[in-house]
Amino acid sequence: MMGDPENGLGKVVDGLIASYERDRRGHYIGKKFLPSREEIFEIIELLFQVFYPGYYGRQDLTEGNLRYHVVTLVSTLREKLATQIEKCLCWAGESERDPAEEKEAGGCAEYGRHIACRLLSRLSEIRDTLLLDVQAAYDGDPAAGSLDEVILSYPGLLAITVHRVAHELYVLGVPLMPRIMSEWAHSRSGADIHPGATVGESFFIDHATGVVIGETSHIGGHVKIYQGVTLGAMSHPKDERGRVIRDTKRHPTVEDAVTLYANATVLGGQTVVGQGSVVGGSVFLTRGIPKRSRVAVKPPETRVIAAGSQPGDDEYPADFEI
């Protein structure tokens, strides 16, 4: 005989409530301030319309309606940014892990609007830099058919577009929101760029998939990196209580005009890749290299054995055509 489904459901609910009470991690109950992921995603989409008008959003733009369109976009952005930044700031004040930054809700609102306006004032400069990134992608990829193709389809450009805004918010001291933005870009481009990373102009990420750039990375201008590149930390220093020390330079510095080929791994806060250097595919670097260096892994010996051959038969050289 089947049991009472309502009774079974009650046991499930009781178990979940007990779990929430037993371990207060992983829920946000009894608190007021938390940003909206959906609203932040909408902000990103509006920013793409601002940076690349006509490519995203409305496509019937003319000189006659452009100003009205941009006024509407910027006005909407200001309100959405101010609201979400306010919630992020109040979250920091409400959070048990950072009581020193507690702010009254009114203070959060005023400061949130101030930060939103500061970000908006930087949009034209950010766009100027992004156009250099677009050009770098076109110049650096012979498969790129046009600037339009780069803007509409290149995942590396999507990642760096979001990063340049997230980094501004990071520098302005906004919690949560920059990381939510960067992870949105990560999920869509395959490139994981921490908002704390500093990135120079004319940056090109080719293919993007699997790229990881850590928080304290510093990347100069005119740098080109390929898929699978990691700029990471060698280890995480800890204090006397065993807690990770967070405010340290843990990730590499990549100077101007460096190229990092696919699956290269560069680790460590003291590691500097000198200006104009080329780091080959699958290289593993944990120490700095001087300017204009060339770093490559010695190729493994490759052998090709013909189909149907027996153990002990002659092996063909790698360039043998079967």
Side-chain angles (χ1 to χ4, degrees):
M1 182 177 178
M2 297 181 63
D4 180 3
E6 290 298 325
N7 183 50
L9 186 61
K11 290 181 179 179
V12 171
V13 173
D14 290 343
L16 287 171
I17 296 298
S19 172
Y20 303 152
E21 293 173 349
R22 183 169 58 247
D23 192 333
R24 304 194 68 81
R25 295 173 296 180
H27 72 68
Y28 208 75
I29 300 168
K31 298 180 181 180
K32 296 189 297 183
F33 301 109
L34 200 66
S36 165
R37 285 165 47 89
E38 290 72 22
E39 284 290 312
I40 291 172
F41 298 161
E42 288 185 18
I43 287 169
I44 294 172
E45 292 169 358
L46 289 170
L47 286 165
F48 271 82
Q49 294 183 49
V50 167
F51 292 139
Y52 309 113
Y55 292 99
Y56 293 88
R58 187 174 176 179
Q59 293 185 314
D60 62 343
L61 295 176
T62 65
E63 291 184 3
N65 62 25
L66 180 60
R67 185 174 185 83
Y68 174 79
H69 175 68
V70 175
V71 167
T72 302
L73 282 177
V74 172
S75 177
T76 303
L77 263 175
R78 181 177 61 186
E79 298 310 311
K80 287 182 177 291
L81 279 166
T83 298
Q84 294 309 310
I85 293 171
E86 173 191 350
K87 290 183 178 181
C88 289
L89 294 171
C90 288
W91 165 85
E94 190 175 54
S95 171
E96 292 180 1
R97 67 175 177 81
D98 198 5
E101 292 197 19
E102 186 170 355
K103 297 181 178 68
E104 295 296 329
C108 292
E110 181 180 353
Y111 193 49
R113 196 167 187 84
H114 171 72
I115 293 177
C117 290
R118 287 188 62 180
L119 177 63
L120 292 176
S121 72
R122 293 271 297 134
L123 289 184
S124 61
E125 292 179 51
I126 294 172
R127 183 173 187 272
D128 289 344
T129 303
L130 287 171
L131 294 180
L132 296 177
D133 298 327
V134 172
Q135 190 66 50
Y138 179 73
D139 294 341
D141 184 4
S146 64
L147 296 180
D148 295 344
E149 183 178 330
V150 171
I151 293 171
L152 287 171
S153 66
Y154 272 41
L157 181 67
L158 183 150
I160 191 61
T161 298
V162 175
H163 173 74
R164 294 206 182 278
V165 176
H167 181 70
E168 291 287 335
L169 291 168
Y170 178 93
V171 171
L172 289 168
V174 178
L176 280 185
M177 188 172 177
R179 194 62 186 270
I180 292 171
M181 296 177 82
S182 69
E183 292 303 331
W184 180 93
H186 180 196
S187 68
R188 283 157 177 76
S189 69
D192 183 1
I193 311 176
H194 192 285
T198 302
V199 179
E201 65 181 33
S202 299
F203 184 47
F204 176 35
I205 308 175
D206 200 358
H207 304 296
T209 305
V211 166
V212 178
I213 300 175
E215 178 183 20
T216 61
S217 301
H218 184 95
I219 300 173
H222 303 275
V223 169
K224 180 178 182 180
I225 66 177
Y226 285 79
Q227 69 273 15
V229 166
T230 296
L231 302 180
M234 287 184 63
S235 61
H236 301 292
K238 297 181 180 179
D239 61 19
E240 65 280 359
R241 296 176 59 185
R243 298 174 302 185
V244 173
I245 300 173
R246 300 183 183 277
D247 298 326
T248 59
K249 179 75 164 71
R250 308 182 307 279
H251 304 94
T253 295
V254 177
E255 294 185 343
D256 296 345
V258 166
T259 298
L260 301 170
Y261 280 100
N263 299 315
T265 298
V266 185
L267 304 180
Q270 303 307 309
T271 302
V272 178
V273 180
Q275 179 181 355
S277 293
V278 175
V279 178
S282 299
V283 164
F284 189 89
L285 273 181
T286 59
R287 60 183 178 87
I289 58 174
K291 295 180 179 180
R292 293 179 294 280
S293 297
R294 298 292 183 270
V295 186
V297 174
K298 184 177 180 180
E301 183 179 357
T302 303
R303 296 179 178 179
V304 179
I305 302 175
S309 61
Q310 301 298 318
D313 289 351
D314 290 340
E315 295 177 343
Y316 294 90
D319 59 354
F320 185 84
E321 295 185 5
I322 298 176

